[in-house]
Amino acid sequence: MNGQGKEDQLNRGTVVSIRGSVVEAHFSQKIPSLYNLLRAGEDGRIVIEVIIHLHPEAVRGIALTPTQGLARGSVVVDTGFPLKAPVGKRLLGRVFNVFGETIDRKEKIGGGEWRSIHRKPVPLHQQSTLSEVFETGIKAIDVLAPLERGGKAGLFGGAGVGKTVLITEMIHNMVGRHEGVSLFCGIGERCREGEELYREITQAGVLENTVMVFGQMNEPPGARFRVGHAALTMAEFFRDDAKQDVFLLIDNIFRFIQAGAEVSGLMGQLPSRLGYQPTLGTELAELEERICNTATGAITSVQAVYVPADDFTDPSAVHTFGHLSASIVLSRKRASEGLYPAIDPLQSGSKMLVPHIVGNRHYKVAQEIRQTLATYEDLKDIIAMLGIEELSQEDRRTVYRARRLERFLTQPFFVTEQFTGLKGKMVNLEDALDGCERILEDEFIDIPEKSLYMIGTIDEAEKK
């Protein structure tokens, strides 16, 4: 009898129309709040999130699951709460989807604490204002675009220039040394990449300190759009309640923007520039502003950003740039020359690269490297037309220096050992700066440039 009474208390509505992932429903008793979850279909397996109130008795929502089997007149039930994600230490070592369900074929996670994925960013007065450098062990990044602890770094690049490889290498290098928790969020990822990453992390023996959340490419746009918020809710628990540092990796922010554009188009909003959603800036800020550090802990984030058609003026890339403290730009030209990681030293940069944070020596070395490589870039046309012999003695020395620097900034990765046959190397900042300084002082002018290619520290060049 009690069960029957409980059934009657549920706020029920009926489906009025279905267009792809967009569902409109009519509620005569009480209209569900924005962001509430509605359930429909058998066992409530179709989940819809309320996005708009159309009028006092109708809502429009986006389905987070496929809508097969739903028809006009079907019953929808208001659950009375928004999408929630599980939080706590029990998440470590597990893989989740946007609903907080485990997808790693191990026992399910039930009970415990679940929190709404829609949370406000930490107020400004509670954020920490200290600036510390976060070392990655990758020469080109640590010297030319150092990351910030509690900051946001972006890896920008078109298709196939090595964003995911670089992110995987960072996980390999940092998860072992990083005392806190690592959280990987795959937005619109290929399942192949997720599976490879899971194996990588298991082999590195750091799975018990890692949480993984995926919204795969084949899932409806609503699920891909919300998976980032779910991952951040989990990360915020470790920062605020467990008082730990969190290393958050997001692959790929562009897919989050793309999912938002799909949702916006389905909801009937007028598109803005290049067909993106009119609310692009707000949606991205709602996600990015939650990544910050407080007095108790920091969320340091590295995000891959796909750049459509290698066009850096695309609104998705422009809006993302504004939120980052370091931008690492990958160039197709360098990748084609075999200079891996294909980081463009002239386009990449970091707000940390100032004398009062990294120190005078590091700042000077980085500026000299940039200057040398920029001069080489300018001289390339002359070399192509007239040959290197036509350059002045000074320019020739600059070219030799630049070519050696380019080779020295390449590095064999642990995650690509089976493809390259070269043992992975991790180089600390001191050794990387030392190598660059010695090249700039022309110490290696008589050593063939190929002996500086794909090495760790500069001493290996002499052995070669």
Side-chain angles (χ1 to χ4, degrees):
M1 186 68 193
N2 283 351
Q4 189 63 45
K6 207 169 172 187
E7 281 285 308
D8 293 343
Q9 285 165 16
L10 291 174
N11 183 16
R12 292 165 183 274
T14 50
V15 173
V16 180
S17 80
I18 307 153
R19 289 195 312 279
S21 291
V22 175
V23 180
E24 282 176 25
H26 179 268
F27 284 84
S28 49
Q29 298 170 316
K30 173 178 168 261
I31 196 162
S33 306
L34 285 180
Y35 298 139
N36 269 16
L37 285 191
L38 314 176
R39 286 189 175 270
E42 15 171 318
D43 312 332
R45 65 190 170 75
I46 297 173
V47 183
I48 300 153
E49 185 181 51
V50 176
I51 304 278
I52 302 175
H53 286 159
L54 293 172
H55 57 77
E57 289 190 348
V59 296
R60 183 179 287 164
I62 192 93
L64 305 182
T65 53
T67 51
Q68 276 164 331
L70 200 59
R72 286 176 66 181
S74 298
V75 174
V76 275
V77 178
D78 175 17
T79 59
F81 51 79
L83 187 57
K84 291 184 174 181
V87 294
K89 304 261 184 176
R90 61 207 170 109
L91 309 186
L92 293 170
R94 304 303 303 271
V95 187
F96 296 91
N97 64 9
V98 67
F99 302 109
E101 300 160 349
T102 53
I103 50 173
D104 51 8
R105 299 191 191 152
K106 296 178 188 166
E107 74 280 359
K108 286 189 166 67
I109 278 190
E113 192 187 348
W114 290 62
R115 290 183 185 171
S116 162
I117 66 164
H118 301 280
R119 297 164 66 83
K120 289 215 166 3
V122 176
L124 256 172
H125 64 86
Q126 286 176 21
Q127 293 187 18
S128 161
T129 52
L130 285 174
S131 288
E132 289 175 57
V133 170
F134 191 76
E135 270 192 48
T136 63
I138 298 167
K139 291 180 286 197
I141 294 176
D142 290 344
V143 173
L144 296 168
L147 308 192
E148 177 184 12
R149 177 183 171 268
K152 299 184 268 272
L155 294 178
F156 291 84
V161 289
K163 292 183 299 295
T164 302
V165 170
L166 198 50
I167 272 208
T168 323
E169 181 71 4
M170 282 188 183
I171 294 177
H172 181 282
N173 287 4
M174 288 191 239
V175 173
R177 289 186 304 160
H178 176 69
E179 279 79 67
V181 170
S182 296
L183 204 144
F184 182 86
C185 171
I187 305 178
E189 275 283 76
R190 301 170 183 88
C191 61
R192 165 185 69 75
E193 291 169 343
E195 193 268 339
E196 282 170 8
L197 191 69
Y198 183 77
R199 262 185 302 156
E200 193 68 50
I201 287 174
T202 312
Q203 281 163 9
V206 286
L207 185 66
E208 64 278 3
N209 278 340
T210 310
V211 183
M212 298 170 83
V213 192
F214 285 104
Q216 283 167 217
M217 227 173 217
N218 60 328
E219 291 182 31
R224 282 179 274 131
F225 188 53
R226 288 295 177 221
V227 72
H229 299 86
L232 270 168
T233 304
M234 297 172 182
E236 283 163 347
F237 168 87
F238 289 108
R239 180 191 65 195
D240 303 334
D241 299 48
K243 304 202 178 341
Q244 285 179 290
D245 279 2
V246 183
F247 182 43
L248 170 70
L249 294 124
I250 303 177
D251 192 1
N252 186 308
I253 283 291
F254 174 76
R255 307 261 174 240
F256 164 75
I257 292 170
Q258 199 177 33
E262 287 176 51
V263 169
S264 158
L266 289 165
M267 297 309 277
Q269 292 176 347
L270 280 175
S272 73
R273 214 176 119 220
L274 288 185
Y276 284 103
Q277 61 272 46
T279 48
L280 166 63
T282 325
E283 288 168 2
L284 188 61
E286 276 171 4
L287 186 77
E288 295 279 10
E289 291 299 299
R290 286 171 65 179
I291 304 172
C292 61
N293 44 351
T294 62
T296 56
I299 298 180
T300 303
S301 135
V302 176
Q303 312 169 4
V305 187
Y306 165 70
V307 180
D310 292 345
D311 173 18
F312 284 89
T313 62
D314 189 272
S316 62
V318 171
H319 278 279
T320 311
F321 264 121
H323 290 280
L324 307 172
S325 54
S327 308
I328 295 156
V329 175
L330 299 174
S331 114
R332 192 171 301 283
K333 190 165 160 285
R334 295 180 80 78
S336 65
E337 288 168 9
L339 299 170
Y340 287 106
I343 294 168
D344 186 326
L346 300 175
Q347 278 190 290
S348 306
S350 164
K351 291 179 180 148
M352 301 299 284
L353 201 55
V354 284
H356 65 272
I357 295 176
V358 295
N360 274 329
R361 176 190 175 214
H362 184 166
Y363 176 72
K364 273 194 184 135
V365 171
Q367 292 306 92
E368 271 189 65
I369 293 172
R370 283 232 167 89
Q371 215 173 339
T372 308
L373 293 173
T375 309
Y376 176 41
E377 204 56 46
D378 293 341
L379 295 171
K380 273 183 179 171
D381 288 345
I382 300 172
I383 298 170
M385 288 188 291
L386 305 171
I388 199 161
E389 292 74 29
E390 297 301 314
L391 296 180
S392 70
Q393 197 64 36
E394 188 45 48
D395 282 348
R396 229 180 291 180
R397 291 183 90 80
T398 305
V399 169
Y400 292 146
R401 227 174 277 152
R403 288 181 65 85
R404 278 162 179 73
L405 279 170
E406 279 185 339
R407 308 282 178 290
F408 180 61
L409 289 173
T410 60
Q411 191 167 339
F413 281 178
F414 291 97
V415 296
T416 55
E417 277 177 10
Q418 75 251 42
F419 307 115
T420 59
L422 299 167
K423 204 168 157 20
K425 297 275 162 52
M426 198 167 148
V427 184
N428 66 35
L429 178 61
E430 201 47 46
D431 290 339
L433 285 174
D434 184 46
C436 292
E437 229 170 18
R438 288 170 66 184
I439 292 171
L440 287 165
E441 285 162 7
D442 285 344
E443 221 181 284
F444 293 89
I445 207 88
D446 302 325
I447 283 183
E449 51 190 53
K450 68 168 186 284
S451 56
L452 290 160
Y453 178 65
M454 284 291 173
I455 58 170
T457 60
I458 197 81
D459 305 334
E460 294 175 34
E462 291 162 334
K463 288 176 195 156
K464 265 194 177 181

